[in-house]
Amino acid sequence: MVNLSPISVLVRNETGVLARVSGLFARRGFNIHSLAVGETDDPKVSRISVVVAGEAPIIEQVVKQLRRLVSVVKVSDLTGRPRVERGLALIKVKASPEHRGELLQLVNIFRARVDHVDNESLILEVTGNREKLEAFIDILRPHGIQEMARTGQIAMARGKGPMADAWATLGEDFEEPEGTYNISRAASRLAEELTNE
């Protein structure tokens, strides 16, 4: 069984940042299982949620390499940490009239929903962690999946996670790891330099 590790990466929201991150994975031969990108509550910062396949030493290398990228603000490996993880799948499945009742029961059991109905098929929408999505897909296979689209998994640590409290816990004398860029600290330093001039 392949080990899948969710890694959360905060990056500066700028042109080409996704290409730099994905290019790193391509150059180093790291296998991306899923990828999702979205803006955070700060429009200057985006979160890249990437699920990487590999053993612990590979994941450690991925984290180290990501930290070296200039656009990266913070990297956190969420493997083994309490977290909320979600993905979404749209699944078009064959639905003859005699099998629709059974399919609708499965939809209720998995707390999915029906997004479209026609004479031949249903389009079902399900959200949840990776295991739930895989279980739903597996149970639909005998009915005949015609088409499927999935988003990348997104994940967030529960409570005071490694990303939420990243800056709050750093003292003034904190030395940033090489290659890590902290926007708020950099902005503070720039403002201080301009004031002193």
Side-chain angles (χ1 to χ4, degrees), residues 165-182:
D165 59 353
W167 312 131
T169 58
L170 302 178
E172 287 300 316
D173 56 345
F174 172 76
E175 289 187 28
E176 295 168 17
E178 185 180 340
T180 299
Y181 188 85
N182 181 324

Side-chain angles (χ1 to χ4, degrees), residues 57-196:
I58 292 174
I59 303 306
E60 190 177 323
Q61 269 304 310
V62 169
V63 171
K64 283 181 181 174
Q65 294 299 323
L66 284 169
R67 284 186 175 143
R68 292 185 178 183
L69 294 177
V70 173
S71 302
V72 170
V73 177
K74 177 78 178 167
V75 181
S76 183
D77 177 9
L78 298 176
T79 308
R81 296 179 188 220
R83 64 182 184 269
V84 175
E85 185 179 330
R86 292 288 180 271
L88 182 146
L90 294 175
I91 307 162
K92 186 187 291 181
V93 61
K94 283 184 188 174
S96 58
E98 59 270 16
H99 291 107
R100 284 199 181 162
E102 184 181 346
L103 286 168
L104 293 177
Q105 283 181 343
L106 294 173
V107 165
N108 286 332
I109 291 169
F110 280 86
R111 295 183 185 167
R113 54 184 266 182
V114 178
D115 285 339
H116 174 77
V117 181
D118 60 34
N119 292 331
E120 306 292 327
S121 63
L122 299 174
I123 296 179
L124 307 177
E125 174 187 323
V126 62
T127 59
N129 62 24
R130 196 170 40 245
E131 292 78 17
K132 178 182 175 184
L133 267 56
E134 294 293 338
F136 191 58
I137 292 164
D138 285 345
I139 209 160
L140 290 178
R141 284 191 200 285
H143 295 275
I145 293 176
Q146 297 177 320
E147 195 174 349
M148 182 168 66
R150 288 179 69 168
T151 65
Q153 292 291 120
I154 56 172
M156 184 174 285
R158 292 182 186 271
K160 279 198 159 190
M163 303 305 262
D165 59 353
W167 312 131
T169 58
L170 302 178
E172 287 300 316
D173 56 345
F174 172 76
E175 289 187 28
E176 295 168 17
E178 185 180 340
T180 299
Y181 188 85
N182 181 324
I183 292 173
S184 59
R185 285 175 178 271
S188 298
R189 285 185 197 140
L190 180 61
E192 193 175 307
E193 286 173 16
L194 292 173
T195 305
N196 293 335

